[in-house]
Amino acid sequence: MASAPLTARTRNGVSTRASIEKEALRLFAQKGVEGTTIRDLALAVGVADAALYRYFASKEEIAADLFATHYGALARSIDEIGAREAPFADTVAALVDLLCGLFDDAPDVFSFILLNQHAHLRYVRDDANAVEALRAIMRKAHAGGAIDIGDEDLAAAMALGAVLQPCVFKLYGRLPGAMRARARDLADAALRVLCKDRPSS
């Protein structure tokens, strides 16, 4: 029996790898990396356990690859927002919209990044680091007199806390509805923490 054309085999390989990544992301978001087994992944993808090892050496390698891909994409989006010439309040609103939109549109991605960041952040390059991108925004805002806090790490942490803690509550079912519906309130909360001219709304 003739083997499949190279292009078809390549397409099948790419498709299988994409399926592994998709199912791994879903399972890691639901069960955590530690709680997910290779058998779980194989069953979800519909392949034999051994087939996974043709694409990844371990589930930890899959997790590292997924984190680098999605966290890097988030960092680039934050960089793009920070590069705009806009009032700081508009920048904060855009950042909150980004995070709320990620939660609503790609909850597995958001959950995976949020719940697995501590295991992977040490390996992330500064130019692909969402926190570094946010620190740069805070540094620029303080230099321009838009925020009170001169410590960019503290400013970034405080701003993130105003958004991420409600997202954690949402993950555990304590907040109904879409996060986008709360974006205005979350942006105002971040501004109250950071700004000299705090919003009155």
Side-chain angles (χ1 to χ4, degrees):
M1 180 177 178
S3 62
L6 179 60
T7 52
R9 293 203 305 273
T10 301
R11 282 197 301 271
N12 289 339
V14 170
S15 176
T16 300
R17 184 183 177 95
S19 294
I20 293 169
E21 291 174 341
K22 177 183 177 182
E23 294 301 329
L25 186 63
R26 180 181 64 81
L27 289 168
F28 292 163
Q30 291 177 359
K31 303 172 66 172
V33 177
E34 290 300 318
T36 300
T37 67
I38 288 293
R39 184 63 178 155
D40 292 333
L41 285 170
L43 285 172
V45 177
V47 298
D49 296 12
L52 294 178
Y53 294 108
R54 290 202 288 267
Y55 301 92
F56 297 97
S58 66
K59 66 178 180 179
E60 288 76 18
E61 183 179 294
I62 302 173
D65 186 72
L66 288 171
F67 191 87
T69 296
H70 293 291
Y71 194 72
L74 178 60
R76 288 189 294 274
S77 295
I78 293 174
D79 271 331
E80 290 170 5
I81 292 171
R84 300 171 189 168
E85 292 300 326
F88 184 64
D90 292 347
T91 298
V92 170
L95 290 169
V96 172
D97 285 344
L98 171 68
L99 293 174
C100 288
L102 180 61
F103 190 103
D104 289 342
D105 298 336
D108 287 346
V109 172
F110 190 100
S111 300
F112 173 73
I113 291 174
L114 183 63
L115 300 178
N116 292 276
Q117 58 183 313
H118 302 300
H120 299 285
L121 280 178
R122 74 187 76 176
Y123 306 113
V124 174
R125 304 186 319 271
D126 283 354
D127 63 350
N129 190 321
V131 172
E132 287 298 323
L134 187 58
R135 289 176 74 245
I137 290 173
M138 297 303 162
R139 183 165 56 248
K140 178 181 175 182
H142 182 259
I147 65 174
D148 300 336
I149 302 166
D151 183 332
E152 60 208 43
D153 285 306
L154 179 60
M158 292 171 70
L160 279 173
V163 180
L164 294 187
Q165 192 57 47
C167 288
V168 170
F169 271 46
K170 172 69 175 171
L171 281 176
Y172 293 107
R174 290 186 171 273
L175 290 176
M179 288 305 297
R180 280 191 180 94
R182 298 180 169 82
R184 171 70 181 275
D185 289 340
L186 297 180
D188 283 354
L191 289 170
R192 288 190 187 95
V193 168
L194 296 170
C195 291
K196 294 175 180 177
D197 298 320
R198 293 172 174 79
S200 58
S201 60

